[in-house]
Amino acid sequence: MTGETGFVENAAALLARVRQQRPRVHCLMNTVVQKFVADGLAALGAIPSMTSSTEEVEAFAQRADALVVNLGTLDEGRRAAIRLATAVARSAHKPWIVDPVHCDYSPSRLAFARELIASGPSVLRGNASEMDIIGEANGVLKIKTGAVDELTLDRHTTRIENGHPFMAQVTGTGCLSGALIAAFMAVERDRLRAATGALLASGIAAEIAAQRSSGPGTFEAAFRDALAALRPEDIIANARISYAEG
């Protein structure tokens, strides 16, 4: 293991806390991956809810401990639901995360992503192209995903190297990581530590699953099994992380 020992030990403790507290995460999620994300949250020990109905999304967001907003499949109804749910999260001081999927493809999607970011989410998570086009997001924990995930808040930066190439061949692994970050934020007020814990859990589970897989098809099922079986000591033994200030 390399990197910041305190962050790794905290990540291991947070995994245990998620399982003890079983936070409820409401997911306004890409419709392509809803089941995968719900199953992954449940495997780790959280409780997912997924409705995007404007008639009931406020009630579900109110009951949730955290909210994840994913722009993967976006239409006017989903935009309305997102606005309603994020207003609940803000007024109730619940943690929430924005995943601005494909905001670099569409001007209207980019404008909506910027609208959400201006309203003050806890975390912004995207790939390099998405994060570059969005630009500044003051006061928000920014997570740039890739072969190495980079987390930046103010002058603090954490880099996480755990993960496996099979993750890029299974639709929804990135969406699930956003939902896991929400679950960890529900039990840890420090956003940087919570997100670090979630990404270590996801990345290490992926490495364990890949050892038991012959390709992306078998990996998908093995990944869920690995999340369910992941132990705090697995995080301590396998974390590859570095931390810097300045």
Side-chain angles (χ1 to χ4, degrees), residues 71-94:
L71 305 188
T73 47
L74 193 60
D75 55 32
E76 281 305 312
R78 190 166 293 268
R79 288 172 191 261
I82 289 170
R83 289 186 175 109
L84 291 170
T86 55
V88 169
R90 292 195 304 273
S91 64
H93 306 290
K94 298 176 187 287

Side-chain angles (χ1 to χ4, degrees), residues 78-213:
R78 190 166 293 268
R79 288 172 191 261
I82 289 170
R83 289 186 175 109
L84 291 170
T86 55
V88 169
R90 292 195 304 273
S91 64
H93 306 290
K94 298 176 187 287
W96 60 290
I97 177 172
V98 174
D99 191 338
V101 177
H102 295 326
C103 68
D104 52 333
Y105 284 24
S106 159
S108 63
R109 185 179 291 248
L110 176 60
F112 186 56
R114 286 176 170 162
E115 173 191 327
L116 293 175
I117 295 161
S119 67
S122 309
V123 173
L124 171 66
R125 175 203 173 280
N127 63 33
S129 296
E130 294 159 354
M131 297 297 280
D132 288 347
I133 198 169
I134 283 172
E136 292 299 318
N138 294 328
V140 178
L141 169 59
K142 295 181 290 185
I143 303 176
K144 183 183 292 188
T145 61
V148 176
D149 293 331
E150 185 173 284
L151 299 78
T152 304
L153 180 63
D154 301 325
R155 296 184 302 158
H156 308 279
T157 299
T158 301
R159 294 179 177 87
I160 298 172
E161 298 180 21
N162 294 97
H164 192 275
F166 280 159
M167 298 179 80
Q169 299 178 49
V170 175
T171 301
T173 55
C175 304
L176 175 57
S177 77
L180 295 178
I181 290 167
F184 275 64
M185 285 196 297
V187 303
E188 169 57 64
R189 294 177 62 88
D190 186 313
R191 292 173 289 173
L192 184 56
R193 289 182 179 272
T196 298
L199 292 173
L200 284 173
S202 177
I204 291 167
E207 292 171 353
I208 293 170
Q211 295 172 5
R212 305 167 183 169
S213 305

Side-chain angles (χ1 to χ4, degrees), residues 30-75:
N30 183 340
T31 57
V32 176
V33 302
Q34 285 180 331
K35 184 179 187 302
F36 181 81
V37 171
D39 286 347
L41 280 169
L44 200 74
I47 301 172
S49 57
M50 313 297 287
T51 184
S52 60
S53 166
T54 55
E55 295 178 351
E56 58 184 8
V57 70
E58 291 170 294
F60 274 78
Q62 190 64 53
R63 288 177 58 87
D65 299 300
L67 171 70
V68 56
V69 173
N70 181 295
L71 305 188
T73 47
L74 193 60
D75 55 32

